[in-house]
Amino acid sequence: MATNTCNKNVVKNVPYYDRPRERLLRVGAVHLSDTELLAILLRTGTEKETAYELAQRLLSRFDDLRGLAQASHAELIELKGIGQVKAIEMHAAFELGRRLTGVPRQSRASIRLPRDVADLMIPELAHLTQEHFVCLFLNTKNFVIGKQTIFVGSLDSSIVHPREVFKEAIRRSSASVICLHNHPSGDPTPSREDIAITHTLREAGELVGISLLDHVIIGDGKYVSLKEQGYF
């Protein structure tokens, strides 16, 4: 009982305009800091700190919001003030954010340039700690009609097989395909394996009549288009 009273008193002592929930209602979520938004998600702090102070400690412990989003369940629950429920809620919130940024706006997602591909997919792929090989499926007007993660792990031509890529393309009646994968190192420079996979997929696409338009490698806020690099 004493613990709850202490925590409530700390919150009451915070000025109205500094409380994250009230600030969100007053100025909108877009104007809140990462710490304030995280404090709203946490709801409560500990007996000696507010939710805002707990949020500050979490962001400091994992360097920033991206680091926190990558934290494991075990890493979260070992911290004071983070139990099973809060850890699960944070995992769910970050996963919803990833899914939202990765959903193509199919009515507007028209791909004309490699930059369009990068703008669409960097938010989804840049933060991942494993390589993800993803395909965008396009119609005859270069609008995105679907997206599929084909493989997760280190790329290997024996694993990223044209069969899996073009099976999905045919199922979706795609006119063309754009392949992407991320480099967890942050450096999007293509490897020899990346180039070999690109050649294999391009040749397979020509056989089935579905063009491979590009293979884009995503790094930390950067990208490389193998088409722009002259591999097509």
Side-chain angles (χ1 to χ4, degrees):
M1 181 65 71
T3 297
N4 291 338
T5 302
C6 177
N7 199 45
K8 286 178 181 178
N9 287 338
V10 171
V11 174
K12 286 179 180 178
N13 290 332
V14 176
Y16 174 85
Y17 51 83
D18 281 341
R19 298 177 193 173
R21 288 195 185 97
E22 283 83 349
R23 267 181 45 78
L24 187 148
L25 290 173
R26 189 163 52 84
V27 301
V30 70
H31 295 291
L32 268 64
S33 67
D34 291 347
T35 304
E36 289 173 309
L37 291 171
L38 182 57
I40 292 172
L41 181 64
L42 292 170
R43 298 192 310 278
T44 59
T46 67
E47 62 183 28
K48 293 184 178 180
E49 61 187 353
T50 64
Y52 183 88
E53 291 166 333
L54 175 57
Q56 285 182 313
R57 180 159 58 86
L58 282 175
L59 292 173
S60 175
R61 166 65 178 80
F62 295 103
D63 295 329
D64 54 23
L65 195 59
R66 177 177 293 185
L68 179 59
Q70 294 175 356
S72 69
H73 189 75
E75 288 176 317
L76 290 176
I77 62 174
E78 72 179 7
L79 299 173
K80 185 176 181 180
I82 304 298
Q84 294 281 358
V85 173
K86 282 182 179 175
I88 289 169
E89 288 173 343
M90 279 193 286
H91 288 315
F94 286 128
E95 181 58 27
L96 284 172
R98 292 186 190 106
R99 294 185 185 189
L100 180 60
T101 57
V103 174
R105 297 182 180 181
Q106 296 186 1
S107 61
R108 289 186 288 163
S110 177
I111 304 299
R112 302 296 176 188
L113 300 167
R115 177 77 254 177
D116 299 331
V117 181
D119 288 343
L120 184 65
M121 297 301 294
I122 280 177
E124 178 178 350
L125 296 179
H127 68 279
L128 298 175
T129 56
Q130 281 186 288
E131 289 191 8
H132 285 57
F133 191 88
V134 179
C135 290
L136 297 179
F137 304 103
L138 284 66
N139 63 16
T140 56
K141 295 184 178 181
N142 282 5
F143 282 92
V144 175
I145 58 173
K147 174 173 69 74
Q148 180 77 30
T149 299
I150 303 297
F151 178 73
V152 177
S154 297
L155 292 191
D156 186 291
S157 56
S158 65
I159 297 175
V160 181
H161 197 280
R163 176 179 59 247
E164 301 303 320
V165 173
F166 291 103
K167 178 181 72 175
E168 287 297 324
I170 292 168
R171 186 174 70 83
R172 297 167 187 265
S173 300
S174 307
S176 58
V177 177
I178 295 174
C179 293
L180 308 96
H181 77 278
N182 63 302
H183 281 179
S185 67
D187 180 2
T189 303
S191 66
R192 282 184 290 182
E193 189 69 34
D194 297 336
I195 296 166
I197 290 169
T198 301
H199 287 315
T200 300
L201 291 173
R202 188 178 178 216
E203 291 170 0
E206 290 173 352
L207 287 175
V208 299
I210 300 175
S211 301
L212 177 67
L213 295 185
D214 204 345
H215 182 179
V216 178
I217 303 173
I218 303 296
D220 186 5
K222 301 175 288 187
Y223 75 95
V224 167
S225 158
L226 270 71
K227 184 175 183 178
E228 287 183 334
Q229 293 287 311
Y231 292 106
F232 279 66

